Amino acid sequence: MADRFIGTSWKMNLTSTQAAEYCGRLLPLVEDVTDRRLFVLPPFTAIWAVRQKLAGTQIAWGAQHVHPEESGAHTGDVSAPMLADLGCSYVEVGHSERRRDYGETDALVTAQVAAIQRHGMTAMVCVGERERAEIGPVMEGIGRQLSALSGADRSRLIVAYEPVWAIGAGARAADPEWIGWVHQAIEAWFRSSRAGSEADVPIIYGGSVDGASAPAILAQPGVSGLFVGRSALDPEEFARIAHLNPVSAGR
Ligand code: PGA
């Protein structure tokens, strides 16, 4: 099995000074982790500081958003060539907080993914339902979000399944079994949407992951890794999650 992805987005947290301190604390704690693909997605303002700390280590870095155009009159925005020049490996798009706060659409996601991939980076695309529901309607909605990726290069694509109801303070991670069902349904969507022997798209889970919930989620079929939010703001907890192995619930 390919190496698992274990990563975090810091969302709108950590100044560049704090980000450098974070990396300084994290690095010795994960020195021995060589069989996972670790990554951090700082806010734009901290990418440079993170790169200074992480260049030459096994931890990759990236961004949480990108404008789909190359350059031009878009005040306050940041483009894919700017991120590629900073050594970003990954760029996250489609997060439910951006869909909610900025009205971002699946059409925008398609354009962002194209820009990210044109510049040699991997697009990390978040999908997921707003409310708990049965698997049928949930997969209908996720299928619509995945349609935005039908023309994407699958070798530079990661999907993050993030049920909106499981994200953020006060929420709890989805049930491991549910996560396994959805991940397998997403895999099936990719298999049926385009024939041929193309690259498998890793599917990672995000939503209130912590050290306690991680092992059972990792044990689910179709789970290629974890995307950690608030619990990874503590580098020690992130390092702990980075070391965990899958353990089936009930064992
Ligand atoms: P959370 O965030 O772990 O704080 O719930 C997850 C995410 O939004 O990716």
Side-chain angles (χ1 to χ4, degrees):
M1 167 173 211
D3 290 349
R4 290 196 162 80
F5 293 85
I6 307 287
T8 177
S9 159
W10 295 337
K11 305 193 179 185
M12 195 174 72
N13 294 291
L14 305 191
T15 64
S16 57
T17 306
Q18 291 167 332
E21 282 166 10
Y22 180 108
C23 293
R25 285 174 61 198
L26 178 65
L27 276 167
L29 300 175
V30 295
E31 232 170 24
D32 57 332
V33 180
T34 51
D35 59 347
R36 317 274 148 104
R37 300 203 210 181
L38 304 181
F39 66 87
V40 296
L41 308 185
F44 289 137
T45 46
I47 296 176
W48 178 263
V50 165
R51 163 193 152 126
Q52 298 290 89
K53 288 282 187 183
L54 299 186
T57 74
Q58 87 283 30
I59 309 177
W61 61 92
Q64 303 170 18
H65 171 65
V66 67
H67 192 282
E69 289 178 30
E70 301 285 301
S71 63
H74 298 287
T75 300
D77 265 311
V78 167
S79 70
M82 295 171 182
L83 297 175
D85 184 61
L86 284 170
C88 290
S89 299
Y90 304 105
V91 183
E92 177 184 10
V93 295
H95 193 280
S96 57
E97 289 153 11
R98 301 236 19 130
R99 293 181 194 257
R100 177 196 69 200
D101 295 349
Y102 296 96
E104 293 188 355
T105 61
D106 294 329
L108 175 67
V109 168
T110 303
Q112 288 171 310
V113 169
I116 293 162
Q117 295 187 335
R118 262 199 312 277
H119 290 275
M121 299 176 289
T122 293
M124 194 168 293
V125 181
C126 303
V127 300
E129 72 281 13
R130 303 210 136 268
E131 311 283 344
R132 282 178 195 267
E134 300 292 316
I135 189 82
V138 164
M139 281 314 299
E140 252 174 60
I142 291 178
R144 275 193 296 276
Q145 294 175 324
L146 292 172
S147 300
L149 308 178
S150 49
D153 170 359
R154 293 188 183 182
S155 68
R156 292 186 189 279
L157 187 63
I158 296 174
V159 167
Y161 169 53
E162 301 214 332
V164 181
W165 50 267
I167 295 174
R172 289 181 46 202
D175 264 6
E177 200 183 22
W178 170 262
I179 295 169
W181 290 338
V182 176
H183 280 234
Q184 290 173 86
I186 295 174
E187 281 181 344
W189 185 93
F190 275 108
R191 273 197 306 274
S192 67
S193 76
R194 217 194 284 162
S197 56
E198 290 180 90
D200 282 342
V201 176
I203 305 163
I204 64 178
Y205 170 79
S208 299
V209 173
D210 57 17
S213 57
I217 298 172
L218 285 170
Q220 289 297 318
V223 174
S224 307
L226 301 171
F227 197 14
V228 190
R230 63 198 185 283
S231 70
L233 287 171
D234 171 1
E236 289 185 7
E237 181 71 352
F238 186 48
R240 190 155 89 89
I241 295 169
H243 281 91
L244 290 171
N245 288 310
V247 178
S248 300
R251 278 208 204 141

